[in-house]
Amino acid sequence: MNTSSKPQIAVIGYGSQGRAHALNLRDSGFDVVVGLRSGGPTEVKALADGFTVKSPAEAAAQADLVAVLTPDMVQKKLYADVLAPSMKQGACLLFAHGLNVHFGMISPRADLDVVLVAPKGPGALVRREYEIGRGVPCIYAIHQDRSGRAEELAKLYAAGLGGARANLIRTTFKEETETDLFGEQAVLCGGASALVQAGFETLVEAGYQPEIAYYEVLHELKLIVDLFYEGGITRMLEFVSETAQYGDFVSGPRVINAETKARMKDILSEIQDGTFIQRWVAEYDAGLPNYKKFQQADLDHPIEKVGKELRAKMQWLQQNGAPQAAAPAAEKPAATPSQSTHPIAETA
């Protein structure tokens, strides 16, 4: 490994997280090369950003630290075919999500340091916060420490992203992977989507206009999530009406109850014992037949048609081609909460 304080870094992948990592690390003084297949859709973007772009094998062979920022399901083949044969002896292999290592789909070479650094925010936010002199909190973990410097390297990388400006929390590959999968399935993606769809269907089936139902169960959800993000449940309760608070107290437990929590525990158990990942790998290897069916069902849901029509009339969503923040749903004459946009989830 390079004995200098800042290792040479190869960022493999240039999606939302890959681009943010590469830009922030370069701006923090690291020597960064981007590893991409020639002619791929992100090569032009990386070159336009001023990076040296090499094949993943060539980039990995020259780097002290290789950051794997590609989708989960391609990482096993990428490691086996490209990274394992190419990486330097004693180099550091870094992941932003521990799934492949934790579930044994990747067994890293014994000579490598193996670490995880995961910013708790989407790539656009990681980059934006860095540019204005702040940072997104990062969690980090150590799987193999062959050099005795693995934790130092993980913290150095997290600092290069801007994470040390905010907060660094040590975790494990197991904890990061299992909590991340659970959060996505039970709350952030699966739980929230199903709750919104069920609320919409309940109102429409009762005879209410789809447009009104959309605003009440989907559009205004962002306003509540922003308040959660900024100050937890306490801030949400501060900025909604007493009527909304009372409805929260008496009706929330009727929707999310002990039975719901028991099903959440079942979901967590299937993540912990490997049942979920076995199903997901089998689905991916089969060409995603159920995945595509489930995805199309969501895309065809009536709330999507109504939402598309209504959002076309929301000029603030069209500004600069990106969603803009909406005003908070405060009903009391109180101080206005921050109007910054707060994305809540992104796959690594």
Side-chain angles (χ1 to χ4, degrees), residues 205-280:
E205 289 166 7
Y208 299 104
Q209 295 180 67
E211 294 80 4
I212 301 300
Y214 174 88
Y215 281 126
E216 293 302 330
V217 304
L218 190 153
H219 177 80
E220 292 193 20
L221 182 61
K222 175 188 171 4
L223 313 179
I224 301 302
V225 169
D226 280 357
L227 294 172
F228 282 159
Y229 186 98
E230 293 163 359
I233 294 173
T234 299
R235 187 169 179 84
M236 183 274 288
L237 293 175
E238 177 185 357
F239 279 92
V240 301
S241 69
E242 291 177 342
T243 302
Q245 290 183 49
Y246 182 70
D248 172 334
F249 303 149
V250 300
S251 297
R254 297 174 65 190
V255 178
I256 307 299
N257 53 27
E259 184 182 353
T260 311
K261 188 173 178 181
R263 291 195 296 269
M264 286 184 168
K265 288 182 176 180
D266 289 341
I267 290 169
L268 180 57
S269 293
E270 291 180 359
I271 291 168
Q272 292 171 326
D273 67 19
T275 300
F276 167 75
I277 197 62
Q278 290 169 12
R279 287 202 305 259
W280 174 219

Side-chain angles (χ1 to χ4, degrees), residues 156-176:
L156 195 63
Y157 186 98
L161 298 183
R165 301 171 181 172
N167 191 22
L168 300 181
I169 300 177
R170 180 160 179 167
T171 182
T172 64
F173 273 62
K174 172 183 169 64
E175 184 176 60
E176 185 278 334

Side-chain angles (χ1 to χ4, degrees), residues 62-327:
Q62 298 175 358
D64 300 312
L65 185 153
V66 176
V68 181
L69 299 171
T70 58
D72 290 331
M73 289 297 102
V74 306
Q75 289 182 11
K76 178 180 178 180
K77 183 174 176 57
L78 172 69
Y79 176 76
D81 295 351
V82 178
L83 303 183
S86 303
M87 289 180 65
K88 293 179 180 179
Q89 285 289 119
C92 180
L93 180 63
L94 180 145
F95 296 89
H97 182 35
L99 185 149
N100 278 274
V101 171
H102 175 56
F103 287 112
M105 293 183 289
I106 291 177
S107 297
R109 281 178 8 206
D111 64 285
L112 301 174
D113 287 338
V114 183
V115 304
L116 178 149
V117 175
K120 301 315 293 176
L125 183 66
V126 172
R127 180 58 180 165
R128 185 167 69 246
E129 288 296 292
Y130 181 94
E131 289 182 306
I132 61 179
R134 299 189 303 221
V136 170
C138 290
I139 60 177
Y140 74 95
I142 313 303
H143 178 71
Q144 287 182 182
D145 183 8
R146 295 298 181 247
S147 69
R149 294 186 58 213
E151 183 169 10
E152 175 190 344
L153 289 168
K155 287 183 174 180
L156 195 63
Y157 186 98
L161 298 183
R165 301 171 181 172
N167 191 22
L168 300 181
I169 300 177
R170 180 160 179 167
T171 182
T172 64
F173 273 62
K174 172 183 169 64
E175 184 176 60
E176 185 278 334
T177 301
E178 293 177 356
T179 57
D180 184 83
L181 292 174
F182 176 80
E184 291 169 352
Q185 294 175 32
V187 181
L188 304 178
C189 301
S193 296
L195 185 65
V196 165
Q197 289 173 341
F200 178 85
E201 291 165 4
T202 299
L203 289 176
V204 172
E205 289 166 7
Y208 299 104
Q209 295 180 67
E211 294 80 4
I212 301 300
Y214 174 88
Y215 281 126
E216 293 302 330
V217 304
L218 190 153
H219 177 80
E220 292 193 20
L221 182 61
K222 175 188 171 4
L223 313 179
I224 301 302
V225 169
D226 280 357
L227 294 172
F228 282 159
Y229 186 98
E230 293 163 359
I233 294 173
T234 299
R235 187 169 179 84
M236 183 274 288
L237 293 175
E238 177 185 357
F239 279 92
V240 301
S241 69
E242 291 177 342
T243 302
Q245 290 183 49
Y246 182 70
D248 172 334
F249 303 149
V250 300
S251 297
R254 297 174 65 190
V255 178
I256 307 299
N257 53 27
E259 184 182 353
T260 311
K261 188 173 178 181
R263 291 195 296 269
M264 286 184 168
K265 288 182 176 180
D266 289 341
I267 290 169
L268 180 57
S269 293
E270 291 180 359
I271 291 168
Q272 292 171 326
D273 67 19
T275 300
F276 167 75
I277 197 62
Q278 290 169 12
R279 287 202 305 259
W280 174 219
V281 170
E283 174 71 16
Y284 188 86
D285 290 345
L288 303 173
N290 292 303
Y291 172 99
K292 292 174 183 176
K293 180 178 67 176
F294 298 148
Q295 182 184 58
Q296 195 59 49
D298 274 354
L299 297 177
D300 291 340
H301 193 281
I303 199 171
E304 291 304 290
K305 179 178 183 298
V306 173
K308 184 176 181 180
E309 294 170 354
L310 292 175
R311 289 190 297 272
K313 300 174 183 178
M314 301 177 192
Q315 294 183 1
W316 66 91
L317 295 180
Q318 318 310 320
Q319 183 177 344
N320 298 324
Q324 302 296 312

